[in-house]
Each structure stands twice: as structure tokens, then as C-alpha cells.
Amino acid sequence: EVQLEESGGHLVQPGRSLRLSCVASGFKFGDFAMHWVRQGPEKGLEWVAGIGWDSGSLGYADSVKGRFTISRDNAKNSLYLQMKSLRPEDTAFYFCTKDINVGVLPPAVRGFDAWGQGTLVTVSS
Amino acid sequence: DIQMTQSPSSVSASVGDRVTITCRASQDISSWLTWYQQKPGKAPKLLIYAASALQGGVPSRFSGSGSGTEFTLTISSLQPEDFATYYCHQGNSFPFTFGPGTKVD
């Protein structure tokens, strides 16, 4: 069974940093692209960042470019999101998702076929 | 950035109804369009990728069509478990963007 488990979310002051982690199991982690998607309170979905199977390709939403860094460690079946200069508008549930594709560069077939339950990041003073 | 819009924003329907949701992209995205279903308090679920390919395990009452800038998700006969919010998502270019969602209640 494919499982994704996020951790690291909590209350943080504006301007501070936070690192999210996601541990995967039930599939060959190194064979698929991975992404972070977030959802603010009572809001829709927002793609945050994606990384290819070998970390050779990356992509970011405009709203986080330059502040967030996505990375992975295939030996540890883990995905990470380093977040800096956090803003109140970054408050959201952050989901780790598995792509059906190996790479992240568009244009290409895209489908997030497994999701974690999310970890809540609250940015507030 | 490619902007995704969905219509309607919400739809009231009954069990057995045929429900159609439209997703429009601000520019040509070929067939790089995905549909997700999300229930309250739950993570989204992949329904359809590449505009019309049904994800494994998804009931055949769900179907997708379209290409270019206009796409549709159709539920042929609404079931009780289908009351949820539906999102489209483009994978044609960075940054990948979601539509605002359509709530079926």
C-alpha cells in the first residue's frame, strides 16, 4: 500500500524558517516525481513545488520561488520542503504527493495519484 | 502563468443526475489536464489524467473530455459518495495551476 506521511508543520512567526518532511512507503520512491501541494483554510489547492526522480528537474510556484526549496533523498525515501521568510499567506495544510510521471518538466502527463494527509503550517505572530 | 477557471462554482444535484463540470485554461494546454475529487477533511483523489484517461479504481461513471482550452468532467449518474469538490489542474507549463474548484452538493 502506497503511503505518504508528512511532518514538521507547526506555528511559526513571520519571517522564520521551517522544514517539512515526507516519508514514503509502498512503492519505489526513486522512480517517480514528487510534489508539494498546499491548501489554505477554506481555500482551494495550490501547487507549491515539484522535483523529478533524480532531483535533476525542479519547479516552483511564483508565490514561493526564492523562498522555498524542494529536495529529496531517494536512499531515505524522503521528500523535503525548506521554507524561509515565511509569510502569513503561507498558512496552509501542506500535502506531499506522488506523480505518475518520473520527471517534472512540462509539458507532460501529470497526475498526483497518492497524497499524504497533510501537515499544518501556521504563520502568525 | 496559465489561469484555470471552472464553471459552475457549485452545483446542486440529486442522486442519479448527470453532472457536467467545465474547466477552461487561459491558453492552449493540449491534453495536459487532470481532475481531482476532494471530500471535506480529506486529501484529493486523482480521477482523470491526460484529459480523458480514467485512473485505475475510479468508477466508469466518471469521464473526461476536451483539449486545448476547454475541458469537461462528467459524472453520468451521481452517487451518494460523489458529493465533493472537484478541481482541474494543468500540467502544460510551470507553474502548474489548479482551478478554483466546483462543489457538488
Side-chain angles (χ1 to χ4, degrees):
Chain A
E1 180 190 3
V2 173
Q3 289 192 325
L4 299 170
E5 185 171 356
E6 305 94 339
S7 62
H10 62 84
L11 174 64
V12 62
Q13 292 180 329
R16 303 296 291 266
S17 298
L18 199 60
R19 189 196 198 204
L20 304 183
S21 299
C22 170
V23 177
S25 61
F27 66 102
K28 193 171 181 182
F29 181 74
D31 280 358
F32 297 94
M34 298 291 294
H35 303 260
W36 289 98
V37 174
R38 69 185 181 184
Q39 187 168 35
E42 304 300 319
K43 291 188 177 180
L45 301 171
E46 181 185 14
W47 176 79
V48 174
I51 185 168
W53 68 280
D54 63 350
S55 303
S57 55
L58 307 172
Y60 295 94
D62 292 345
S63 59
V64 307
K65 198 175 294 183
R67 299 189 299 123
F68 290 11
T69 302
I70 188 172
S71 62
R72 65 190 296 163
D73 185 336
N74 290 345
K76 295 183 178 179
N77 290 340
S78 293
L79 178 72
Y80 306 101
L81 186 68
Q82 179 67 50
M83 304 185 292
K84 299 180 179 179
S85 303
L86 282 162
R87 305 166 180 168
E89 54 266 36
D90 295 320
T91 295
F93 276 97
Y94 284 73
F95 294 99
C96 166
T97 73
K98 169 190 169 292
D99 203 327
I100 59 177
N101 203 325
V102 298
V104 75
L105 291 178
V109 65
R110 192 69 53 204
F112 304 158
D113 65 341
W115 297 65
Q117 284 306 299
T119 187
L120 178 61
V121 174
T122 303
V123 184
S124 175
S125 54
Chain B
D1 297 1
I2 296 176
Q3 308 302 316
M4 306 299 292
T5 58
Q6 290 182 231
S7 60
S9 57
S10 66
V11 55
S12 293
S14 301
V15 172
D17 286 352
R18 182 182 182 88
V19 175
T20 298
I21 298 168
T22 299
C23 174
R24 290 184 175 87
S26 60
Q27 62 190 74
D28 189 340
I29 61 169
S30 185
S31 295
W32 308 125
L33 193 284
T34 311
W35 289 99
Y36 297 90
Q37 174 195 67
Q38 187 180 31
K39 297 180 180 179
K42 300 292 187 181
K45 174 185 176 182
L46 174 62
L47 297 177
I48 289 169
Y49 61 92
S52 60
L54 196 66
Q55 173 68 357
V58 174
S60 59
R61 62 180 178 272
F62 290 93
S63 64
S65 64
S67 65
T69 62
E70 188 160 328
F71 303 84
T72 59
L73 173 70
T74 300
I75 309 171
S76 60
S77 178
L78 195 70
Q79 298 302 299
E81 59 269 30
D82 301 336
F83 291 96
T85 299
Y86 294 84
Y87 294 92
C88 61
H89 180 229
Q90 68 83 17
N92 183 76
S93 62
F94 284 142
F96 301 144
T97 43
F98 285 90
T102 295
K103 186 175 183 180
V104 178
D105 58 19

